[in-house]
PDB file of all heavy atoms in Angstrom:
ATOM      1  N   LEU A 247       5.705  13.277  14.433  1.00 82.00           N
ATOM      2  CA  LEU A 247       6.198  13.626  15.768  1.00 82.00           C
ATOM      3  C   LEU A 247       7.717  13.736  15.780  1.00 82.00           C
ATOM      4  O   LEU A 247       8.280  14.606  16.448  1.00 82.00           O
ATOM      5  CB  LEU A 247       5.752  12.558  16.782  1.00 82.00           C
ATOM      6  CG  LEU A 247       4.264  12.515  17.115  1.00 82.00           C
ATOM      7  CD1 LEU A 247       3.948  11.291  17.963  1.00 82.00           C
ATOM      8  CD2 LEU A 247       3.823  13.782  17.840  1.00 82.00           C
ATOM      9  N   ARG A 248       8.369  12.878  15.022  1.00 80.00           N
ATOM     10  CA  ARG A 248       9.833  12.926  14.960  1.00 80.00           C
ATOM     11  C   ARG A 248      10.300  14.205  14.283  1.00 80.00           C
ATOM     12  O   ARG A 248      11.318  14.807  14.685  1.00 80.00           O
ATOM     13  CB  ARG A 248      10.356  11.700  14.208  1.00 80.00           C
ATOM     14  CG  ARG A 248      11.876  11.548  14.291  1.00 80.00           C
ATOM     15  CD  ARG A 248      12.321  10.239  13.703  1.00 80.00           C
ATOM     16  NE  ARG A 248      13.760  10.076  13.832  1.00 80.00           N
ATOM     17  CZ  ARG A 248      14.431   9.018  13.415  1.00 80.00           C
ATOM     18  NH1 ARG A 248      13.785   7.991  12.874  1.00 80.00           N
ATOM     19  NH2 ARG A 248      15.736   8.952  13.558  1.00 80.00           N
ATOM     20  N   THR A 249       9.568  14.633  13.275  1.00 82.00           N
ATOM     21  CA  THR A 249       9.900  15.871  12.576  1.00 82.00           C
ATOM     22  C   THR A 249       9.846  17.065  13.519  1.00 82.00           C
ATOM     23  O   THR A 249      10.687  17.981  13.440  1.00 82.00           O
ATOM     24  CB  THR A 249       8.925  16.105  11.402  1.00 82.00           C
ATOM     25  OG1 THR A 249       9.027  15.009  10.486  1.00 82.00           O
ATOM     26  CG2 THR A 249       9.255  17.399  10.668  1.00 82.00           C
ATOM     27  N   PHE A 250       8.875  17.037  14.431  1.00 76.00           N
ATOM     28  CA  PHE A 250       8.720  18.144  15.379  1.00 76.00           C
ATOM     29  C   PHE A 250       9.517  17.927  16.664  1.00 76.00           C
ATOM     30  O   PHE A 250       9.381  18.699  17.625  1.00 76.00           O
ATOM     31  CB  PHE A 250       7.238  18.343  15.712  1.00 76.00           C
ATOM     32  CG  PHE A 250       6.452  18.977  14.597  1.00 76.00           C
ATOM     33  CD1 PHE A 250       5.669  18.202  13.753  1.00 76.00           C
ATOM     34  CD2 PHE A 250       6.528  20.346  14.372  1.00 76.00           C
ATOM     35  CE1 PHE A 250       4.950  18.784  12.723  1.00 76.00           C
ATOM     36  CE2 PHE A 250       5.809  20.938  13.338  1.00 76.00           C
ATOM     37  CZ  PHE A 250       5.029  20.154  12.506  1.00 76.00           C
ATOM     38  N   GLY A 251      10.337  16.879  16.689  1.00 75.00           N
ATOM     39  CA  GLY A 251      11.207  16.638  17.831  1.00 75.00           C
ATOM     40  C   GLY A 251      10.511  16.113  19.069  1.00 75.00           C
ATOM     41  O   GLY A 251      11.050  16.208  20.183  1.00 75.00           O
ATOM     42  N   LYS A 252       9.308  15.539  18.906  1.00 74.00           N
ATOM     43  CA  LYS A 252       8.564  15.018  20.051  1.00 74.00           C
ATOM     44  C   LYS A 252       9.009  13.611  20.439  1.00 74.00           C
ATOM     45  O   LYS A 252       8.822  13.189  21.590  1.00 74.00           O
ATOM     46  CB  LYS A 252       7.055  15.004  19.746  1.00 74.00           C
ATOM     47  CG  LYS A 252       6.465  16.384  19.472  1.00 74.00           C
ATOM     48  CD  LYS A 252       6.561  17.275  20.695  1.00 74.00           C
ATOM     49  CE  LYS A 252       5.889  18.627  20.455  1.00 74.00           C
ATOM     50  NZ  LYS A 252       5.984  19.507  21.646  1.00 74.00           N
ATOM     51  N   VAL A 253       9.556  12.871  19.479  1.00 72.00           N
ATOM     52  CA  VAL A 253      10.099  11.536  19.747  1.00 72.00           C
ATOM     53  C   VAL A 253      11.425  11.423  19.017  1.00 72.00           C
ATOM     54  O   VAL A 253      11.662  12.100  18.013  1.00 72.00           O
ATOM     55  CB  VAL A 253       9.143  10.404  19.294  1.00 72.00           C
ATOM     56  CG1 VAL A 253       7.816  10.472  20.032  1.00 72.00           C
ATOM     57  CG2 VAL A 253       8.911  10.458  17.788  1.00 72.00           C
ATOM     58  N   ASP A 254      12.292  10.534  19.511  1.00 72.00           N
ATOM     59  CA  ASP A 254      13.585  10.381  18.855  1.00 72.00           C
ATOM     60  C   ASP A 254      13.815   8.991  18.286  1.00 72.00           C
ATOM     61  O   ASP A 254      14.751   8.767  17.530  1.00 72.00           O
ATOM     62  CB  ASP A 254      14.727  10.740  19.817  1.00 72.00           C
ATOM     63  CG  ASP A 254      14.672   9.923  21.106  1.00 72.00           C
ATOM     64  OD1 ASP A 254      13.951   8.915  21.144  1.00 72.00           O
ATOM     65  OD2 ASP A 254      15.350  10.320  22.074  1.00 72.00           O
ATOM     66  N   SER A 255      12.955   8.044  18.680  1.00 66.00           N
ATOM     67  CA  SER A 255      13.129   6.676  18.207  1.00 66.00           C
ATOM     68  C   SER A 255      11.792   5.955  18.246  1.00 66.00           C
ATOM     69  O   SER A 255      10.935   6.255  19.085  1.00 66.00           O
ATOM     70  CB  SER A 255      14.137   5.926  19.085  1.00 66.00           C
ATOM     71  OG  SER A 255      14.089   4.532  18.847  1.00 66.00           O
ATOM     72  N   ILE A 256      11.622   4.992  17.355  1.00 64.00           N
ATOM     73  CA  ILE A 256      10.382   4.222  17.323  1.00 64.00           C
ATOM     74  C   ILE A 256      10.238   3.347  18.558  1.00 64.00           C
ATOM     75  O   ILE A 256       9.169   2.851  18.880  1.00 64.00           O
ATOM     76  CB  ILE A 256      10.307   3.360  16.034  1.00 64.00           C
ATOM     77  CG1 ILE A 256       8.861   2.912  15.777  1.00 64.00           C
ATOM     78  CG2 ILE A 256      11.265   2.159  16.123  1.00 64.00           C
ATOM     79  CD1 ILE A 256       8.632   2.336  14.418  1.00 64.00           C
ATOM     80  N   MET A 257      11.342   3.164  19.299  1.00 59.00           N
ATOM     81  CA  MET A 257      11.300   2.377  20.532  1.00 59.00           C
ATOM     82  C   MET A 257      10.783   3.192  21.724  1.00 59.00           C
ATOM     83  O   MET A 257      10.477   2.630  22.769  1.00 59.00           O
ATOM     84  CB  MET A 257      12.693   1.820  20.862  1.00 59.00           C
ATOM     85  CG  MET A 257      13.159   0.756  19.898  1.00 59.00           C
ATOM     86  SD  MET A 257      12.039  -0.662  19.897  1.00 59.00           S
ATOM     87  CE  MET A 257      12.746  -1.653  18.585  1.00 59.00           C
ATOM     88  N   LEU A 258      10.710   4.530  21.577  1.00 63.00           N
ATOM     89  CA  LEU A 258      10.174   5.403  22.622  1.00 63.00           C
ATOM     90  C   LEU A 258      10.799   5.091  23.982  1.00 63.00           C
ATOM     91  O   LEU A 258      10.108   4.821  24.965  1.00 63.00           O
ATOM     92  CB  LEU A 258       8.644   5.265  22.702  1.00 63.00           C
ATOM     93  CG  LEU A 258       7.861   5.564  21.414  1.00 63.00           C
ATOM     94  CD1 LEU A 258       6.396   5.267  21.603  1.00 63.00           C
ATOM     95  CD2 LEU A 258       8.077   7.007  20.987  1.00 63.00           C
ATOM     96  N   SER A 259      12.116   5.151  24.015  1.00 63.00           N
ATOM     97  CA  SER A 259      12.846   4.787  25.230  1.00 63.00           C
ATOM     98  C   SER A 259      12.598   5.739  26.387  1.00 63.00           C
ATOM     99  O   SER A 259      12.647   5.354  27.552  1.00 63.00           O
ATOM    100  CB  SER A 259      14.356   4.720  24.938  1.00 63.00           C
ATOM    101  OG  SER A 259      14.808   5.939  24.371  1.00 63.00           O
ATOM    102  N   ASP A 260      12.305   7.003  26.082  1.00 67.00           N
ATOM    103  CA  ASP A 260      12.020   7.994  27.112  1.00 67.00           C
ATOM    104  C   ASP A 260      10.527   7.945  27.462  1.00 67.00           C
ATOM    105  O   ASP A 260       9.666   8.104  26.594  1.00 67.00           O
ATOM    106  CB  ASP A 260      12.394   9.389  26.604  1.00 67.00           C
ATOM    107  CG  ASP A 260      12.349  10.451  27.692  1.00 67.00           C
ATOM    108  OD1 ASP A 260      11.593  10.252  28.667  1.00 67.00           O
ATOM    109  OD2 ASP A 260      13.066  11.455  27.574  1.00 67.00           O
ATOM    110  N   ALA A 261      10.233   7.728  28.731  1.00 67.00           N
ATOM    111  CA  ALA A 261       8.838   7.593  29.167  1.00 67.00           C
ATOM    112  C   ALA A 261       7.998   8.812  28.803  1.00 67.00           C
ATOM    113  O   ALA A 261       6.821   8.691  28.452  1.00 67.00           O
ATOM    114  CB  ALA A 261       8.784   7.346  30.668  1.00 67.00           C
ATOM    115  N   SER A 262       8.595  10.001  28.867  1.00 71.00           N
ATOM    116  CA  SER A 262       7.847  11.228  28.582  1.00 71.00           C
ATOM    117  C   SER A 262       7.416  11.319  27.121  1.00 71.00           C
ATOM    118  O   SER A 262       6.474  12.028  26.784  1.00 71.00           O
ATOM    119  CB  SER A 262       8.690  12.456  28.947  1.00 71.00           C
ATOM    120  OG  SER A 262       9.859  12.522  28.134  1.00 71.00           O
ATOM    121  N   GLN A 263       8.113  10.599  26.247  1.00 77.00           N
ATOM    122  CA  GLN A 263       7.774  10.614  24.825  1.00 77.00           C
ATOM    123  C   GLN A 263       6.631   9.654  24.487  1.00 77.00           C
ATOM    124  O   GLN A 263       6.147   9.647  23.355  1.00 77.00           O
ATOM    125  CB  GLN A 263       9.006  10.229  23.994  1.00 77.00           C
ATOM    126  CG  GLN A 263      10.162  11.211  24.092  1.00 77.00           C
ATOM    127  CD  GLN A 263      11.351  10.791  23.250  1.00 77.00           C
ATOM    128  OE1 GLN A 263      11.326   9.773  22.561  1.00 77.00           O
ATOM    129  NE2 GLN A 263      12.412  11.582  23.288  1.00 77.00           N
ATOM    130  N   ARG A 264       6.182   8.887  25.452  1.00 84.00           N
ATOM    131  CA  ARG A 264       5.183   7.857  25.183  1.00 84.00           C
ATOM    132  C   ARG A 264       3.753   8.375  25.211  1.00 84.00           C
ATOM    133  O   ARG A 264       2.858   7.743  24.664  1.00 84.00           O
ATOM    134  CB  ARG A 264       5.301   6.731  26.230  1.00 84.00           C
ATOM    135  CG  ARG A 264       6.578   5.949  26.129  1.00 84.00           C
ATOM    136  CD  ARG A 264       6.685   4.928  27.242  1.00 84.00           C
ATOM    137  NE  ARG A 264       7.650   3.911  26.862  1.00 84.00           N
ATOM    138  CZ  ARG A 264       7.509   2.626  27.098  1.00 84.00           C
ATOM    139  NH1 ARG A 264       6.447   2.188  27.736  1.00 84.00           N
ATOM    140  NH2 ARG A 264       8.423   1.766  26.714  1.00 84.00           N
ATOM    141  N   LYS A 265       3.534   9.508  25.855  1.00 87.00           N
ATOM    142  CA  LYS A 265       2.167   9.959  26.097  1.00 87.00           C
ATOM    143  C   LYS A 265       1.377  10.159  24.808  1.00 87.00           C
ATOM    144  O   LYS A 265       0.278   9.617  24.654  1.00 87.00           O
ATOM    145  CB  LYS A 265       2.183  11.249  26.926  1.00 87.00           C
ATOM    146  CG  LYS A 265       2.712  11.053  28.340  1.00 87.00           C
ATOM    147  CD  LYS A 265       2.749  12.368  29.098  1.00 87.00           C
ATOM    148  CE  LYS A 265       3.342  12.180  30.490  1.00 87.00           C
ATOM    149  NZ  LYS A 265       3.446  13.457  31.234  1.00 87.00           N
ATOM    150  N   ILE A 266       1.914  10.934  23.887  1.00 88.00           N
ATOM    151  CA  ILE A 266       1.193  11.215  22.643  1.00 88.00           C
ATOM    152  C   ILE A 266       1.001   9.949  21.814  1.00 88.00           C
ATOM    153  O   ILE A 266      -0.128   9.684  21.363  1.00 88.00           O
ATOM    154  CB  ILE A 266       1.910  12.311  21.820  1.00 88.00           C
ATOM    155  CG1 ILE A 266       1.891  13.637  22.597  1.00 88.00           C
ATOM    156  CG2 ILE A 266       1.246  12.482  20.459  1.00 88.00           C
ATOM    157  CD1 ILE A 266       2.659  14.754  21.924  1.00 88.00           C
ATOM    158  N   PRO A 267       2.043   9.124  21.583  1.00 90.00           N
ATOM    159  CA  PRO A 267       1.833   7.881  20.822  1.00 90.00           C
ATOM    160  C   PRO A 267       0.805   6.945  21.453  1.00 90.00           C
ATOM    161  O   PRO A 267       0.009   6.327  20.736  1.00 90.00           O
ATOM    162  CB  PRO A 267       3.225   7.248  20.803  1.00 90.00           C
ATOM    163  CG  PRO A 267       4.166   8.397  20.903  1.00 90.00           C
ATOM    164  CD  PRO A 267       3.478   9.343  21.845  1.00 90.00           C
ATOM    165  N   LEU A 268       0.798   6.838  22.785  1.00 93.00           N
ATOM    166  CA  LEU A 268      -0.167   5.967  23.445  1.00 93.00           C
ATOM    167  C   LEU A 268      -1.586   6.500  23.281  1.00 93.00           C
ATOM    168  O   LEU A 268      -2.519   5.731  23.002  1.00 93.00           O
ATOM    169  CB  LEU A 268       0.179   5.808  24.928  1.00 93.00           C
ATOM    170  CG  LEU A 268       1.411   4.957  25.265  1.00 93.00           C
ATOM    171  CD1 LEU A 268       1.682   4.974  26.761  1.00 93.00           C
ATOM    172  CD2 LEU A 268       1.252   3.525  24.772  1.00 93.00           C
ATOM    173  N   LEU A 269      -1.768   7.806  23.437  1.00 93.00           N
ATOM    174  CA  LEU A 269      -3.093   8.404  23.232  1.00 93.00           C
ATOM    175  C   LEU A 269      -3.556   8.224  21.790  1.00 93.00           C
ATOM    176  O   LEU A 269      -4.733   7.958  21.529  1.00 93.00           O
ATOM    177  CB  LEU A 269      -3.056   9.892  23.597  1.00 93.00           C
ATOM    178  CG  LEU A 269      -2.980  10.222  25.087  1.00 93.00           C
ATOM    179  CD1 LEU A 269      -2.820  11.724  25.280  1.00 93.00           C
ATOM    180  CD2 LEU A 269      -4.226   9.725  25.819  1.00 93.00           C
ATOM    181  N   MET A 270      -2.621   8.366  20.866  1.00 93.00           N
ATOM    182  CA  MET A 270      -2.939   8.177  19.454  1.00 93.00           C
ATOM    183  C   MET A 270      -3.363   6.736  19.185  1.00 93.00           C
ATOM    184  O   MET A 270      -4.333   6.478  18.454  1.00 93.00           O
ATOM    185  CB  MET A 270      -1.709   8.525  18.604  1.00 93.00           C
ATOM    186  CG  MET A 270      -1.876   8.291  17.119  1.00 93.00           C
ATOM    187  SD  MET A 270      -0.269   8.343  16.305  1.00 93.00           S
ATOM    188  CE  MET A 270       0.548   6.910  17.023  1.00 93.00           C
ATOM    189  N   GLN A 271      -2.658   5.790  19.807  1.00 94.00           N
ATOM    190  CA  GLN A 271      -3.001   4.382  19.632  1.00 94.00           C
ATOM    191  C   GLN A 271      -4.388   4.085  20.185  1.00 94.00           C
ATOM    192  O   GLN A 271      -5.177   3.361  19.559  1.00 94.00           O
ATOM    193  CB  GLN A 271      -1.969   3.503  20.341  1.00 94.00           C
ATOM    194  CG  GLN A 271      -2.233   2.009  20.197  1.00 94.00           C
ATOM    195  CD  GLN A 271      -1.205   1.178  20.952  1.00 94.00           C
ATOM    196  OE1 GLN A 271      -0.122   1.641  21.286  1.00 94.00           O
ATOM    197  NE2 GLN A 271      -1.555  -0.063  21.229  1.00 94.00           N
ATOM    198  N   ILE A 272      -4.698   4.652  21.335  1.00 96.00           N
ATOM    199  CA  ILE A 272      -6.026   4.459  21.923  1.00 96.00           C
ATOM    200  C   ILE A 272      -7.108   4.997  20.994  1.00 96.00           C
ATOM    201  O   ILE A 272      -8.107   4.328  20.721  1.00 96.00           O
ATOM    202  CB  ILE A 272      -6.103   5.163  23.301  1.00 96.00           C
ATOM    203  CG1 ILE A 272      -5.203   4.455  24.313  1.00 96.00           C
ATOM    204  CG2 ILE A 272      -7.554   5.192  23.809  1.00 96.00           C
ATOM    205  CD1 ILE A 272      -4.990   5.242  25.592  1.00 96.00           C
ATOM    206  N   ALA A 273      -6.898   6.210  20.480  1.00 96.00           N
ATOM    207  CA  ALA A 273      -7.892   6.847  19.600  1.00 96.00           C
ATOM    208  C   ALA A 273      -8.104   6.045  18.318  1.00 96.00           C
ATOM    209  O   ALA A 273      -9.241   5.800  17.897  1.00 96.00           O
ATOM    210  CB  ALA A 273      -7.450   8.265  19.261  1.00 96.00           C
ATOM    211  N   LEU A 274      -7.010   5.607  17.697  1.00 96.00           N
ATOM    212  CA  LEU A 274      -7.122   4.854  16.450  1.00 96.00           C
ATOM    213  C   LEU A 274      -7.793   3.502  16.668  1.00 96.00           C
ATOM    214  O   LEU A 274      -8.588   3.048  15.829  1.00 96.00           O
ATOM    215  CB  LEU A 274      -5.735   4.661  15.825  1.00 96.00           C
ATOM    216  CG  LEU A 274      -5.097   5.919  15.224  1.00 96.00           C
ATOM    217  CD1 LEU A 274      -3.668   5.625  14.770  1.00 96.00           C
ATOM    218  CD2 LEU A 274      -5.921   6.451  14.048  1.00 96.00           C
ATOM    219  N   THR A 275      -7.486   2.856  17.785  1.00 97.00           N
ATOM    220  CA  THR A 275      -8.095   1.547  18.055  1.00 97.00           C
ATOM    221  C   THR A 275      -9.581   1.692  18.338  1.00 97.00           C
ATOM    222  O   THR A 275     -10.382   0.834  17.946  1.00 97.00           O
ATOM    223  CB  THR A 275      -7.386   0.846  19.234  1.00 97.00           C
ATOM    224  OG1 THR A 275      -5.980   0.829  19.019  1.00 97.00           O
ATOM    225  CG2 THR A 275      -7.868  -0.600  19.361  1.00 97.00           C
TER     226      THR A 275
END
Side-chain angles (χ1 to χ4, degrees):
L247 290 172
R248 189 172 182 179
T249 300
F250 286 100
K252 298 296 184 180
V253 299
D254 56 15
S255 166
I256 198 167
M257 291 300 175
L258 302 175
S259 55
D260 190 334
S262 64
Q263 296 180 1
R264 293 176 160 220
K265 294 178 183 178
I266 296 176
L268 288 176
L269 287 175
M270 176 194 65
Q271 181 182 341
I272 292 168
L274 289 174
T275 309

